[in-house]
Amino acid sequence: MQDYTIYTDSACDTPAEVLKSWGVKSADLTFHFIGEAVQYDNDAIPPKEFYAYMRQGKTAQTAAINIETFKDRFRREVEAGKDVLYLGFSSGLSSTYNAGRMAVEELSAEYPDRKLMAVDTLCASTGQGLLVYLVKCQKEKGASIEEAASYAEDMRLKICHWFTVDTLEYLKRGGRVSATTAWIGDTLNIKPLMHVDNEGHLVSVKNVRGRKNAINGIAKKLKETALDLGKYPIYICNSDCQDTVDLLTESIKALCGANVEMITDIGPVIGAHTGPGTVALFFVGKE
């Protein structure tokens, strides 16, 4: 069986050293602060420092990866004698996946003897990272590139994303909620329970009063919808709110008796849209 490289992008919010240990490679989305000329890779500024800038009033704008960047990265693998499977950031949230798909199509014509494939994960942040992990496990079990791609397509709608934000201000800036909704929500201490739907879009499912109720609501989703609890890993991602992470892990333990296998930072590219104080839970669910 021909060897292949699993590629993803930095929207997966999975530390570089973890991806390396999985044998997975990644390309970076970028961002810049409005009013500044410098363009940063996703991991160029430590998350804690990035969120401090946001709290000080700086606004970041993000940029997708372009086709030429993908072609350059994928070509290196092809010329090293490997096929490529790209697992990309949800097309419902970014044009990054489509750039990767087009790069795959162009290089497939250029290298007809190589196999290059792209899968829209319909996932974001560490939910994308969770799917990448599961696919790499299939590869380790001997799955061919076609089998791994098929597995990713079968599993992507089972990757559950549940999260809440500390303030609606940043969702308002990104056009996700209206200024009126943000003002009323923050004034009344309303916290949204949000997830990524089957089209890979960010949607609000329910509003609750208070941070603790929001966190408990997320943990209840795990209890209610997890598939074979204990078989698949549970991940948490956060934007500089360790106290909330502790609250969520305690709630999960109390409700489900389950342990969280990985806790990571929400990187600047995702965090630019959700803001500091965001916490997210990812797991494999029934739907």
Side-chain angles (χ1 to χ4, degrees):
M1 182 179 69
Q2 175 63 41
D3 192 16
Y4 59 96
T5 297
I6 297 175
Y7 238 100
T8 189
D9 53 64
S10 60
C12 70
D13 283 340
T14 303
E17 61 271 18
V18 173
L19 291 176
K20 184 177 181 180
S21 72
W22 294 349
V24 173
K25 295 187 177 181
S26 177
D28 266 315
L29 285 83
T30 59
F31 69 94
H32 74 278
F33 292 109
I34 293 177
E36 298 181 10
V38 180
Q39 195 82 7
Y40 297 98
D41 285 344
N42 188 57
D43 60 354
I45 297 178
K48 194 172 188 68
E49 184 178 337
F50 175 79
Y51 294 116
Y53 287 141
M54 291 193 77
R55 290 186 174 106
Q56 292 164 14
K58 286 192 174 186
T59 299
Q61 288 187 334
T62 61
I65 303 168
N66 61 45
I67 297 172
E68 292 306 315
T69 296
F70 275 124
K71 286 177 68 175
D72 178 63
R73 297 295 187 88
F74 297 165
R75 181 177 278 109
R76 296 176 198 173
E77 302 305 311
V78 169
E79 293 184 349
K82 294 185 177 182
D83 295 334
V84 176
L85 173 59
Y86 169 57
L87 305 175
F89 183 22
S90 171
S91 63
L93 295 170
S94 171
S95 62
T96 293
Y97 165 73
N98 283 322
R101 175 186 57 79
M102 293 173 69
V104 161
E105 291 175 358
E106 292 183 17
L107 287 175
S108 293
E110 189 177 338
Y111 297 91
D113 294 333
R114 294 263 68 86
K115 294 176 182 177
L116 294 99
M117 305 182 72
V119 175
D120 182 355
T121 67
L122 301 174
C123 295
S125 192
T126 317
Q128 180 181 338
L130 175 55
L131 184 60
V132 169
Y133 169 78
L134 295 175
V135 174
K136 81 91 184 176
C137 289
Q138 293 300 304
K139 181 187 177 187
E140 289 175 348
K141 293 176 182 177
S144 66
I145 188 171
E146 294 90 351
E147 290 168 338
S150 177
Y151 176 84
E153 291 173 346
D154 289 343
M155 289 296 291
R156 62 186 176 180
L157 295 187
K158 294 184 176 70
I159 305 297
C160 297
H161 307 58
W162 286 99
F163 72 99
T164 189
V165 296
D166 190 37
T167 172
L168 296 171
E169 170 64 23
Y170 301 99
L171 293 176
K172 180 198 75 174
R173 292 183 189 180
R176 302 288 183 182
V177 300
S178 69
T180 301
T181 298
W183 182 83
I184 292 173
D186 286 344
T187 300
L188 298 179
N189 196 27
I190 299 298
K191 307 298 181 186
L193 297 187
M194 309 184 79
H195 82 143
V196 174
D197 68 12
N198 285 354
E199 286 74 47
H201 298 117
L202 176 65
V203 295
S204 181
V205 176
K206 182 180 180 181
N207 292 323
V208 299
R209 181 71 65 85
R211 184 77 155 170
K212 187 171 183 179
N213 286 334
I215 296 305
N216 288 337
I218 289 173
K220 286 178 182 176
K221 290 296 181 182
L222 172 66
K223 182 178 181 180
E224 293 167 357
T225 65
L227 180 66
D228 297 331
L229 191 62
K231 179 179 178 180
Y232 301 102
I234 299 169
Y235 293 166
I236 289 176
C237 206
N238 78 104
S239 51
D240 195 26
C241 55
Q242 185 59 47
D243 56 339
T244 307
V245 171
D246 294 341
L247 184 63
L248 180 55
T249 55
E250 291 166 6
S251 185
I252 290 170
K253 190 71 174 178
L255 281 173
C256 310
N259 294 314
V260 176
E261 294 199 19
M262 184 166 68
I263 298 172
T264 67
D265 294 307
I266 297 175
V269 166
I270 300 292
H273 301 282
T274 58
T278 301
V279 64
L281 175 66
F282 308 96
F283 58 93
V284 177
K286 299 169 186 174
E287 58 182 356

